[in-house]
Amino acid sequence: MKSRTSISLPLALRFMLLLAASMLALSVLFVALLRLSVTHKQDSDLAQGISLISESLASRGTDELAFLELPYYITYAVWERDGRVVLSTNDSLLPLLESNGKSRTHFEKDFFTDSDLNIRYRTKTLELGGKSLVVECAIDIANDSAAQMLSALPRLALISLVPILILSFALSFLISRSTIRAFNKLRSDYDREKAFTSNVSHELKTPISIIDGHANLLKRWGKDDPAQLLQSIDAILHETENMNAIVTTLLDMSRIENGTLKIEKSKFFVTNFFAKLKDEFKITHPDCTIHIDDEDFLEIETDEQKLHQIFTVILSNSVKFAGENCTITLRARKIGSKIELSASDNGAGFSEEVLVHVFERFYKGDQAHDRNISGAGLGLSIAKTLALALGGEIRAENAENGGAKVTVRV
């Protein structure tokens, strides 16, 4: 978890910075386009105002300018260029400027007693009655609503950027952590399958080598020695059985993991289930003592064949590690809506190093995979997979008497 967080934070910060840079760039572009639009609108209004004033001057002179309908935000002045005499204006404080037919911006600091002058203006020169007249129209940018909104946009963009960045950081952190979790799971699956393949190769390589060795021995001289012939044939048959068991187990695990394993539930009494297990093991292991301790008429509903396979693995391990003369106790208790079945023996139990790995594939309690202990180390792994397939759980621990104890709850 700590590793995922340490990786997720830099990724989230990078994403947030990238988003911030993108948003700032888009904001600058948006403000620039909006400013261009506002400026274009102002220039259009100024040109229209000058056109109306010029037409009025040409037809009625300066007397009718006071009655001319102009937008309320446009100020104007008509003045003589030579003497700079103002003939008509709706703003006596409007400075007399010239722009030669183009729209321009004029700024004067502290022009008014309480503020600056900031206008966008446009002029046009007319020759009328032998005089050179200048028609000037202006818009006060400081009081123009569109201009005010435009000036406030950068500040609003920065204010709105903060919660967006916080939200983007949170989302990118969650997304990156989920992505890393999925990647780690994929890597873990890959490592597990890689180890699985390595273990399969190891498990199959040993019996193949033994079979190959005995076959070559028989080919050279062993077939002429009856004792050696019998020993080699027994060894070959034994290793063939081991290989067949490994392959069969792997096929079972493949069916379980691919979801092709069918669960067929039925109701049965635990006493009968334990009695069947006891009878089967007494035939194959007559020196093994099995005690049954369960509640009377305890009924369970699950897949009996799969549960039987689980306990066959558990009992086989007890005989394998505790010895043929071991004593096994089968217990059953009802805990809430669940039924807990357990098998404990009088063997050496699990060491702390082994206990955390007992359900792992190919684990046999030592790194060398001792060939003196038969089996591929897949039994308890399959038992766990079957228990999960039945909607239950399985755990391993040491019994009170020091032996091994495996409990299945379904």
Side-chain angles (χ1 to χ4, degrees):
M1 176 64 184
K2 185 177 180 181
S3 177
R4 285 203 302 266
T5 302
S6 62
I7 297 176
S8 299
L9 281 173
L11 288 177
L13 287 173
R14 290 178 185 177
F15 179 79
M16 185 184 71
L17 292 176
L18 179 62
L19 181 63
S22 301
M23 289 190 64
L24 285 175
L26 289 174
S27 298
V28 170
L29 179 62
F30 176 74
V31 171
L33 292 175
L34 190 58
R35 187 182 297 278
L36 184 63
S37 176
V38 170
T39 302
H40 178 74
K41 178 65 167 59
Q42 290 174 342
D43 293 347
S44 177
D45 290 342
L46 291 175
Q48 187 177 6
I50 287 180
S51 177
L52 290 173
I53 294 173
S54 298
E55 291 176 1
S56 180
L57 285 172
S59 59
R60 294 184 292 274
T62 60
D63 296 335
E64 299 294 329
L65 289 180
F67 303 102
L68 191 63
E69 293 184 1
L70 292 173
Y72 70 93
Y73 49 84
I74 291 182
T75 58
Y76 77 92
V78 178
W79 46 278
E80 294 181 4
R81 171 179 280 181
D82 294 338
R84 303 185 73 81
V85 177
V86 178
L87 302 178
S88 179
T89 184
N90 62 354
D91 184 1
S92 60
L93 297 178
L94 181 65
L96 304 182
L97 305 167
E98 287 192 71
S99 68
N100 298 321
K102 297 180 180 179
S103 295
R104 295 180 180 176
T105 300
H106 179 74
F107 176 82
E108 287 188 36
K109 189 172 181 60
D110 299 327
F111 182 82
F112 303 104
T113 55
D114 58 348
S115 62
D116 304 325
L117 176 70
N118 189 12
I119 61 172
R120 187 164 183 81
Y121 69 97
R122 188 168 187 163
T123 64
K124 181 179 180 180
T125 302
L126 299 176
E127 298 297 331
L128 192 63
K131 297 180 180 180
S132 181
L133 303 181
V134 177
V135 179
E136 177 184 358
C137 285
I139 294 177
D140 186 356
I141 296 177
N143 294 322
D144 183 45
S145 58
Q148 288 177 346
M149 180 184 68
L150 186 63
S151 63
L153 271 179
R155 184 173 66 256
L156 292 175
L158 289 176
I159 294 174
S160 62
L161 186 62
V162 174
I164 293 176
L165 288 179
I166 294 175
L167 180 61
S168 67
F169 175 80
L171 290 176
S172 58
F173 179 78
L174 293 175
I175 293 172
S176 60
R177 190 169 63 173
S178 299
T179 303
I180 292 170
R181 185 185 297 116
F183 173 77
N184 287 339
K185 184 179 183 302
L186 183 63
R187 184 172 61 182
S188 176
D189 291 342
Y190 171 77
D191 291 339
R192 187 176 68 252
E193 294 304 321
K194 185 177 179 181
F196 178 80
T197 303
S198 176
N199 287 326
V200 170
S201 301
H202 173 83
E203 291 295 329
L204 293 179
K205 183 177 181 180
T206 303
I208 289 174
S209 298
I210 294 175
I211 292 172
D212 181 68
H214 280 281
N216 285 322
L217 188 149
L218 293 175
K219 183 178 181 180
R220 291 196 304 270
W221 59 269
K223 61 181 179 294
D224 298 324
D225 184 344
Q228 182 60 51
L229 177 62
L230 182 61
Q231 181 183 355
S232 294
I233 291 175
D234 287 341
I236 290 173
L237 290 175
H238 177 71
E239 295 303 328
T240 302
E241 290 176 359
N242 285 341
M243 291 177 63
N244 182 64
I246 293 172
V247 173
T248 301
T249 303
L250 292 175
L251 289 174
D252 288 341
M253 294 188 72
S254 177
R255 294 188 189 98
I256 293 170
E257 294 180 350
N258 291 335
T260 57
L261 189 71
K262 294 182 179 180
I263 303 298
E264 298 178 357
K265 291 186 177 183
S266 62
K267 290 184 178 181
F268 55 92
F269 290 103
V270 175
T271 300
N272 298 336
F273 175 74
F274 278 166
K276 181 180 179 182
L277 281 172
K278 180 178 179 179
D279 292 340
E280 290 175 353
F281 267 79
K282 289 298 291 182
I283 295 174
T284 55
H285 306 282
D287 296 328
C288 177
T289 302
I290 298 178
H291 298 296
I292 297 176
D293 177 15
D294 67 331
E295 299 176 2
D296 293 335
F297 305 108
L298 190 61
E299 193 175 31
I300 187 172
E301 183 178 6
T302 188
D303 190 317
E304 184 176 4
Q305 191 273 330
K306 304 297 185 299
L307 188 63
H308 181 273
Q309 188 174 351
I310 293 173
F311 273 88
T312 299
V313 169
I314 297 172
L315 296 183
S316 296
N317 277 359
S318 291
V319 173
K320 185 186 304 180
F321 293 100
E324 289 286 343
N325 296 317
C326 69
T327 299
I328 301 174
T329 301
L330 298 174
R331 288 188 178 89
R333 295 288 184 272
K334 186 170 184 180
I335 301 176
S337 60
K338 301 276 188 178
I339 294 180
E340 191 173 86
L341 311 174
S342 67
S344 55
D345 59 48
N346 61 343
F350 300 107
S351 66
E352 293 183 2
E353 294 79 9
V354 171
L355 195 56
V356 295
H357 299 289
V358 291
F359 294 111
E360 293 181 6
R361 295 177 180 178
F362 295 104
Y363 189 78
K364 293 184 178 181
D366 66 294
Q367 296 297 324
H369 287 196
D370 190 356
R371 294 292 302 176
N372 294 324
I373 300 176
S374 61
L378 291 168
L380 285 178
S381 177
I382 288 184
K384 180 179 179 179
T385 307
L386 285 172
L388 294 176
L390 295 177
E393 57 183 284
I394 186 172
R395 70 176 185 272
E397 57 190 329
N398 287 316
E400 295 178 359
N401 61 357
K405 180 180 179 181
V406 180
T407 302
V408 179
R409 180 178 289 188
V410 293

